[in-house]
């Protein structure tokens, strides 16, 4: 919408028989049978972790409370939380173009760690990959949203420079989130616990349009606007050319 001229322009894209779809996984209730949690990374004096469903106090309704018990400094602990209903198979469902995620979080108890760090996580071929991390250090519900993530945005928790395979030949992908705490060697807090609550978790998968080779870019062929000239609205049509 162009406010100055009050003109609305509608853009239609023809994929010439190809279909691009979006797959969304999400959970707002966090039933214990739908989620698993596992300590998958520790360093130094390490730590433990657990998670429970709270039927009230979420944003709104039920939520998931995650507790980390961190060892004396130096220490690090990370939990992988996986949603059993969020499994994607690129070989049968198609290559992944990009991924977005969203969740709400608030800190329930914290002695000075600024809550917990959390991120979207995926497990593929036994490796847990993490996306960008966000701190959850406030006592009120805060939403975290990130979009446009590609395979290179995901690396193992230890920082190894390898990435998942989002192509149509990639292995099965299990989605969830990771929560972590670090007690640095020069930290001011000893062995203790943090508790953060999570709600409204979701992940959005934009698929590569079928019929377009992974990594290829089809040529965009514009057509004339109809009608032209126009007074109130017009349509601008595009066709994505077949990729050789």
């Amino acid at each position: 919408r162009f406010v100055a001229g009050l003109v609305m322009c509608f853009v239609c894209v023809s994929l010439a028989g190809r279909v691009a779809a979006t797959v969304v996984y999400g959970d707002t209730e966090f039933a214990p049978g739908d989620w698993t949690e596992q300590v998958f990374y520790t360093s130094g004096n390490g730590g433990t972790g657990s998670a429970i469903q709270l039927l009230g106090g979420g944003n709104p309704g039920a939520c998931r409370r995650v507790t980390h018990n961190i060892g004396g400094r130096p220490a690090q602990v990370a939990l992988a939380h996986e949603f059993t209903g969020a499994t994607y198979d690129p070989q049968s469902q198609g290559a992944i173009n990009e991924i977005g995620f969203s969740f709400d979080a608030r800190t329930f108890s914290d002695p000075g760690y600024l809550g917990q760090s959390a991120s979207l996580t995926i497990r593929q071929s036994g490796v847990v990959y993490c996306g960008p991390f966000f701190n959850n250090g406030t006592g009120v519900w805060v939403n975290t949203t990130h979009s446009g993530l590609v395979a290179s945005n995901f690396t193992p928790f230890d920082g190894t420079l390898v990435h998942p395979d989002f192509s149509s030949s990639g292995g099965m992908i299990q989605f969830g989130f990771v929560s972590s705490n670090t007690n640095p060697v020069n930290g001011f807090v000893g062995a203790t616990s943090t508790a953060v609550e999570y709600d409204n978790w979701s992940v959005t998968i934009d698929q590569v349009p079928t019929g377009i080779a992974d990594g290829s870019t089809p040529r965009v062929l514009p057509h004339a606007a109809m009608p032209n000239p126009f007074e109130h609205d017009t349509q601008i049509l595009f066709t994505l050319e077949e990729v050789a």
Side-chain angles (χ1 to χ4, degrees):
R1 178 174 295 180
F2 300 89
V3 178
L6 296 179
V7 175
M8 297 185 65
C9 176
F10 301 92
V11 178
C12 301
V13 177
S14 171
L15 296 180
R18 306 176 193 71
V19 178
T22 299
V23 177
V24 179
Y25 301 112
D27 190 25
T28 62
E29 297 302 315
F30 300 94
D34 293 337
W35 286 84
T36 63
E37 66 276 351
Q38 180 182 14
V39 174
F40 76 98
Y41 185 89
T42 61
S43 65
N45 292 313
T48 61
S50 61
I52 60 172
Q53 179 201 37
L54 299 179
L55 294 178
N59 194 33
C63 64
R64 183 173 176 86
R65 179 180 292 174
V66 178
T67 301
H68 292 171
N69 303 303
I70 309 105
R73 56 185 184 267
Q76 189 171 27
V77 60
L79 273 69
H81 310 259
E82 295 184 344
F83 182 39
T84 56
T87 302
Y88 186 89
D89 184 6
Q91 297 185 31
S92 62
Q93 294 177 266
I96 297 174
N97 183 38
E98 60 183 32
I99 291 174
F101 73 90
S102 177
F103 65 85
D104 298 336
R106 72 171 178 180
T107 297
F108 175 75
S109 64
D110 174 50
Y113 284 103
L114 297 178
Q116 299 169 1
S117 295
S119 174
L120 176 69
T121 186
I122 65 176
R123 176 169 52 85
Q124 185 181 50
S125 302
V127 180
V128 177
Y129 299 91
C130 303
F133 274 86
F134 299 88
N135 286 328
N136 306 307
T138 64
V140 297
W141 287 105
V142 176
N143 175 259
T144 292
T145 300
H146 207 305
S147 61
L149 298 175
V150 296
S152 60
N153 294 123
F154 292 87
T155 57
F157 189 81
D158 63 4
T160 305
L161 292 180
V162 295
H163 310 292
D165 185 358
F166 284 180
S167 75
S168 58
S169 61
M172 191 79 70
I173 293 175
Q174 172 66 56
F175 288 94
F177 70 96
V178 65
S179 58
S180 70
N181 272 116
T182 299
N183 193 356
V185 65
N186 60 348
F188 61 91
V189 180
T192 189
S193 298
T194 65
V196 172
E197 296 167 353
Y198 298 88
D199 203 356
N200 302 319
W201 174 90
S202 68
V203 58
T204 302
I205 303 166
D206 290 331
Q207 300 170 309
V208 174
T210 58
I212 296 179
D214 298 350
S216 62
T217 303
R219 188 168 55 142
V220 178
L221 304 177
H223 301 283
M226 298 180 297
N228 186 19
F230 63 93
E231 182 177 358
H232 298 293
D233 58 72
T234 189
Q235 294 186 34
I236 304 175
L237 303 180
F238 298 88
T239 298
L240 300 185
E241 189 181 46
E242 182 76 25
V243 177

